[in-house]
Amino acid sequence: MNSIPQSVVALTGAGISAESGISTFRAADGLWENHPVVEVATPEGFDCNPPLVYEFYNQRRRQLLSDEIKPNPAHTALAKFEHEFNGSFLLVTQNVDNLHERAGSQNLLHMHGELLKMRCLNSEMVYDLRQDLNLDSECKCCRSPGNLRPHIVWFGEMPFHMNEINTALEACDIFIAIGTSGNVYPASGFYQKARIRKATTVELNLEATDSSFDEHIYGPASKVVPAYFEQLLRPSS
Ligand code: NAD
């Protein structure tokens, strides 16, 4: 696109956080941090073995809260774009980490939930969470143990904020998918939805995926994201 767009939607996946030290989900072999996703990222897996699922997300949360994990230049570039762009910008992430908000992004939707939140199975109330969760954790509203789950959208569950996301996709001039394999539905179909109003669709990824965007730019997110969003703000520079 050679002119400055009015409305931009960006979708991020695990690839944007890879250079911050968080492993991606390896769709090819169905493993997430060496666990079959069916065991740790489905409601059935949680029903079958809650301690395993609690511990899986406890480990991810502890890692996220450690000093080693920080936003990288790709997260920072998206926050900078949001602050400098005069049009409308929505950032949708499939990631459950908090690296976008730590980089300064504000108009951000976590469609697959957040590691630093938990939810009551009875009331659906959502609470901040920075410590471990287990079967003995007591819910703040029920005051009883065993009613809390990670606030994560598991396979087979409805992602969050879909109405807001669909409205933005239908109105955008440009849709950019960053560091996502295109294997997880419905995010994998967002570029087709954005095309209905003839948005330009762009993929920024380390390597080619099966999705056919209008433009493909390959390279590590820390390099290609800052360069791409800078030229979107200042097309002639
Ligand atoms: P994915 O793991 O299926 O795919 C990651 C994509 O990122 C791949 O196409 C890969 O080529 C690309 N990639 C890897 N390193 C990159 C880099 N340095 N720069 C640019 N691209 C790079 O990820 P997905 O499509 O987001 O689906 C995974 C699911 O698992 C999501 O639903 C997400 O919620 C969850 N998940 C989240 C995190 C996180 O929060 N950081 C991490 C792992 C998995």
Side-chain angles (χ1 to χ4, degrees), residues 88-118:
S88 106
F89 177 58
L90 176 65
L91 178 56
V92 180
T93 188
Q94 297 169 88
N95 294 343
V96 296
D97 64 52
N98 66 347
L99 297 181
H100 283 306
E101 41 276 66
R102 280 168 61 185
S105 287
Q106 290 178 333
N107 197 17
L108 166 70
L109 297 177
H110 277 277
M111 66 179 288
H112 289 167
E114 295 170 66
L115 265 179
L116 300 187
K117 292 199 171 149
M118 61 185 175

Side-chain angles (χ1 to χ4, degrees), residues 178-195:
I178 304 164
T180 176
S181 60
N183 284 313
V184 180
Y185 181 84
S188 54
F190 285 179
Y191 79 104
Q192 285 149 327
K193 186 151 268 191
R195 269 199 189 135

Side-chain angles (χ1 to χ4, degrees), residues 103-146:
S105 287
Q106 290 178 333
N107 197 17
L108 166 70
L109 297 177
H110 277 277
M111 66 179 288
H112 289 167
E114 295 170 66
L115 265 179
L116 300 187
K117 292 199 171 149
M118 61 185 175
R119 185 165 83 240
C120 172
L121 291 164
N122 285 334
S123 69
E124 299 287 314
M125 291 286 289
V126 176
Y127 301 100
D128 289 339
L129 175 65
R130 295 185 82 81
Q131 70 280 21
D132 285 358
L133 202 58
N134 56 49
L135 277 171
D136 298 324
S137 305
E138 211 171 87
C139 174
K140 288 181 188 169
C141 50
C142 310
R143 300 274 167 214
S144 60

